[in-house]
């Protein structure tokens, strides 16, 4: 059933609906925005006490405002970690939602700050998980780093030193650049002698720093020397995420950790190419003839995904299946408010189902 | 010869003196401070062009103002790396200067931000280099970290996780604390599996971060979890030096690199116990019954040594034998001006010799 405001009272009178008690509590101050909150919502995994408090500005996604969102958006940009999957485990219900959006003719883009894989490797991961996604629908920060060099006419005869994983090296190679460092330097150590002169390639013209699970002092010194001693050497950060889901069980230090380390040793500020920088948006705008006001960014992080969407002028939907909790969203210290929030991305499919019953 | 202002012209007329040309250039605008610059100076290893420009506020150390400094100071605080030694190589002439100051009855303190050694290990290093320095004359940032816990009544039943080297663990042990991590965790790796739960000790109540040449992802994750998940866990930085002389040949990432990494992954700010924090000064004030105005900090770094001295109200002497160049000192972007500067610490002995000829 599609929930027009005029039909809301029908829903309210159904005592089994999740939001019934909520309506009763707020009935004295109903407004059109409150009416929307009384429609069907999916917040089953959030404690009852938390449910009673909505964020100051964000609206809980309902079967009603989802329809409004679907009507006003032509492209959905999805973060991956914490939205599509957690680690290598697919979030249940994602394929149905993707199929639904494709059947509606929506453009889909998968935007991830995780630089450990190339777009090709991500396309394989999607395939393994049973989701059909084309390489050109994927925008990873590894790809963004290579594209940043490309659009800035970084000369191919210069080299790029990488603190990060294979994804960055692969994207650099695809763009015609020579990458150094990365996984190979994870095995290198330094012999500490008083006359030790650490040699570095004076032809390195850019350092790209992303998440690196094999970070060591060798790489820190190499990158530091390039930035401090090679004239004009660029310092590019794939992203600044403090933590990420490297396993499904907990959060682990993200690229923000490695980038901060190089910021600490060089006292220089990086250029950030991943979210929330709008650098990637240029590619999306070239790809689709769609204004950003008809795009919606769906993500689990306020300071990257939601800010990225807002910086670009997109609509925004926060999912609480990743790093952000409802209490973080509602904390008075948080000033980043998405347009909508819901527990997880497949709620879109479920809520749409509710609305057409 | 002790150089009274009234005797300056005698010196100026000696064409072989290093500062002769300087006087000629500036003779039209002589003031009492310029007169002092015309006394004997030791800047032989600084290019002639550089010598002609003095810093806006700092005075070049001369045989004349050295005597004024010696007369007005009862305790000299020396930084070690770049002042006493470079790496493990003693700067020529240091022992004679130390002997001279001791013979004058000056108190000597050796203050170092290098946390890789304990005070005991530093005393041995001094001995090996042929300098007699007592353990209680040494104030390292490793010692400062342990003392910070002590004065803040950190409970001995709590544990301390260390990103850093043996010096921090040794000082923690001397203070009665149980340290974890450090060199031992430098050999640990993480097996990447989807259900990987990284276990950490919930009884860790403080994380100390210093220079760590065996930094790895294991340590970054351990420290990050302690700070993010153990309620009230302290985050202590030995110091924030961006780079340091880990070998005599070049600069290497310093503790500022590792501290920044943990700041990046935890989004928390550390308590800094080394220079330029004045935490160590409390110990010096308890040790000596000397006002800080009668102390002089001698160091090679503007943002740690000189700032530390200034924060505490000491006189300050910058030596150019370490990380700071004359052009850095004179750069308009630099706002930290020591009272005096000279090429290296043993200049004090040479200039004093000139003054008593």
């Amino acid at each position: 059933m599609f929930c027009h405001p005029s039909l809301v009272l029908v829903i309210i009178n159904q005592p089994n609906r999740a939001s019934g008690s909520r309506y009763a509590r707020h009935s004295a101050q109903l407004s059109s925005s409150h009416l929307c909150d009384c429609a069907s919502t999916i917040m089953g995994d959030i404690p009852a006490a938390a449910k009673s408090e909505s964020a100051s500005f964000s609206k809980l996604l309902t079967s009603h405002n989802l329809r409004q969102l679907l009507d006003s958006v032509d492209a959905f940009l999805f973060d991956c970690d914490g939205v599509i999957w957690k680690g290598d485990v697919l979030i249940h219900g994602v394929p149905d939602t993707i199929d639904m959006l494709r059947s509606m003719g929506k453009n889909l883009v998968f935007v991830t700050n995780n630089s450990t894989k190339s777009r090709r490797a991500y396309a394989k991961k999607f395939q393994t998980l049973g989701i059909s996604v084309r390489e050109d629908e994927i925008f990873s920060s590894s790809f963004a780093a290579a594209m940043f060099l490309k659009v800035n006419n970084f000369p191919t005869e210069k080299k790029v030193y990488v603190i990060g994983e294979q994804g960055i090296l692969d994207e650099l190679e695809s763009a015609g650049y020579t990458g150094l460092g990365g996984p190979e330097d994870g095995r290198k150590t330094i012999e500490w002698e008083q006359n030790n002169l650490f040699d570095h390639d004076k032809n390195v013209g850019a350092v790209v720093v992303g998440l690196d699970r094999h970070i060591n002092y060798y790489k820190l010194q190499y990158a530091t020397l390039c930035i401090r001693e090679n004239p004009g050497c660029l310092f590019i950060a794939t992203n600044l995420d403090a933590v990420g889901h490297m396993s499904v069980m907990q959060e682990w230090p993200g690229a923000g950790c490695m980038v901060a380390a190089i910021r600490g040793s060089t006292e220089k500020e990086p250029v950030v190419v991943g979210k929330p920088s709008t650098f990637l948006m240029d590619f999306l705008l070239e790809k689709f003839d769609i204004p950003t006001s008809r795009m919606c960014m769906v993500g689990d992080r306020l300071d990257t995904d939601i800010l990225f969407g807002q910086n670009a002028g997109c609509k925004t939907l926060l999912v609480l299946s990743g790093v952000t909790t409802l209490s973080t969203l509602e904390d008075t210290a948080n000033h980043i408010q998405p347009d909508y929030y819901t527990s997880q991305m497949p709620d879109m499919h479920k809520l749409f189902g509710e609305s057409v019953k």
Side-chain angles (χ1 to χ4, degrees), chain A:
Chain A
M1 180 188 71
F2 174 51
C3 175
H4 288 285
S6 58
L7 297 178
V8 168
L9 284 177
V10 178
I11 298 168
I12 293 166
N13 287 335
Q14 295 179 349
N16 290 335
R17 300 204 74 93
S19 55
S21 62
R22 192 165 183 179
Y23 168 71
R25 193 168 309 178
H26 295 291
S27 56
Q29 36 179 307
L30 271 182
S31 68
S32 62
S33 68
H34 283 91
L35 284 171
C36 291
D37 286 349
C38 301
S40 174
T41 67
I42 312 269
M43 294 293 281
D45 58 350
I46 294 169
K51 284 180 205 167
S52 67
E53 298 288 333
S54 69
S56 314
F57 306 104
S58 307
K59 290 179 199 155
L60 180 64
L61 193 68
T62 66
S63 53
H64 175 61
N65 59 28
L66 170 66
R67 287 299 292 252
Q68 294 179 321
L69 181 65
L70 289 169
D71 289 345
S72 62
V73 164
D74 300 317
F76 281 89
L77 321 182
F78 289 104
D79 176 43
C80 298
D81 291 322
V83 178
I84 305 294
W85 54 62
K86 276 187 153 189
D88 285 336
V89 179
L90 188 70
I91 290 178
H92 183 72
V94 163
D96 291 342
T97 311
I98 288 177
D99 289 347
M100 176 189 84
L101 294 171
R102 284 204 196 280
S103 73
M104 291 173 175
K106 305 298 180 193
N107 292 290
L108 304 184
V109 185
F110 299 87
V111 186
T112 176
N113 266 357
N114 189 329
S115 62
T116 60
K117 290 185 173 66
S118 64
R119 291 187 305 161
R120 184 168 302 167
Y122 271 116
K124 276 187 195 154
K125 177 169 178 171
F126 274 102
Q127 201 174 10
T128 306
L129 294 172
I131 309 171
S132 176
V133 169
R134 297 190 315 274
E135 206 172 307
D136 70 347
E137 289 177 315
I138 299 163
F139 290 81
S140 60
S141 64
S142 52
F143 173 66
M147 286 306 101
F148 180 84
L149 294 172
K150 202 89 176 166
V151 301
N152 284 286
N153 300 315
F154 184 78
T156 50
E157 59 272 23
K158 285 269 186 187
K159 295 175 190 163
V160 184
Y161 188 76
V162 174
I163 289 186
E165 306 200 2
Q166 196 58 41
I168 300 173
L169 287 167
D170 289 347
E171 290 292 353
L172 287 173
E173 191 183 357
S174 297
Y177 294 116
T178 305
L180 305 175
E184 192 183 323
D185 283 1
R187 292 183 287 274
K188 294 183 182 168
T189 55
I190 293 167
E191 294 302 316
W192 289 102
E193 288 163 17
Q194 274 313 297
N195 291 320
N196 196 0
L197 181 71
F198 189 104
D199 206 18
H200 75 286
D201 192 325
K202 308 294 185 295
N203 201 30
V204 169
V207 170
V208 175
V209 184
L211 169 64
D212 192 325
R213 288 169 291 184
H214 300 281
I215 186 74
N216 60 15
Y217 195 84
Y218 183 98
K219 294 186 193 182
L220 293 171
Q221 168 68 335
Y222 206 112
T224 300
L225 284 176
C226 292
I227 295 170
R228 289 175 72 105
E229 298 189 2
N230 291 5
C233 183
L234 300 171
F235 173 17
I236 299 167
T238 59
N239 63 298
L240 299 179
D241 294 19
V243 290
H245 281 112
M246 262 59 85
S247 79
V248 291
M249 300 300 283
Q250 62 192 161
E251 290 169 355
W252 301 73
C257 178
M258 290 83 209
V259 173
I262 296 301
R263 196 194 253 151
S265 60
T266 62
E267 299 174 287
K268 303 265 165 129
E269 287 301 313
V271 175
V272 184
V273 294
K275 298 171 286 181
S277 140
T278 55
F279 174 74
L280 277 174
M281 193 53 76
D282 295 338
F283 289 90
L284 300 182
L285 291 174
E286 275 198 22
K287 186 176 163 67
F288 307 119
D289 186 20
I290 298 172
T292 54
S293 63
R294 290 193 65 82
M295 295 183 184
C296 179
M297 177 69 210
V298 184
D300 70 324
R301 288 176 187 266
L302 292 165
D303 59 351
T304 51
D305 301 323
I306 302 306
L307 199 56
F308 170 73
Q310 290 177 341
N311 285 346
C314 302
K315 292 182 175 58
T316 54
L317 168 60
L318 177 76
V319 293
L320 302 176
S321 49
V323 300
T324 308
T325 61
L326 187 61
S327 62
T328 303
L329 173 66
E330 295 182 339
D331 194 299
T332 52
N334 167 42
H335 300 297
I336 304 171
Q337 292 291 337
D339 295 314
Y340 304 100
Y341 70 98
T342 192
S343 63
Q344 54 178 2
M345 180 269 207
D347 294 348
M348 296 173 78
H349 183 245
K350 291 181 192 166
L351 288 169
F352 185 77
E354 299 278 345
S355 76
V356 295
K357 264 179 193 165

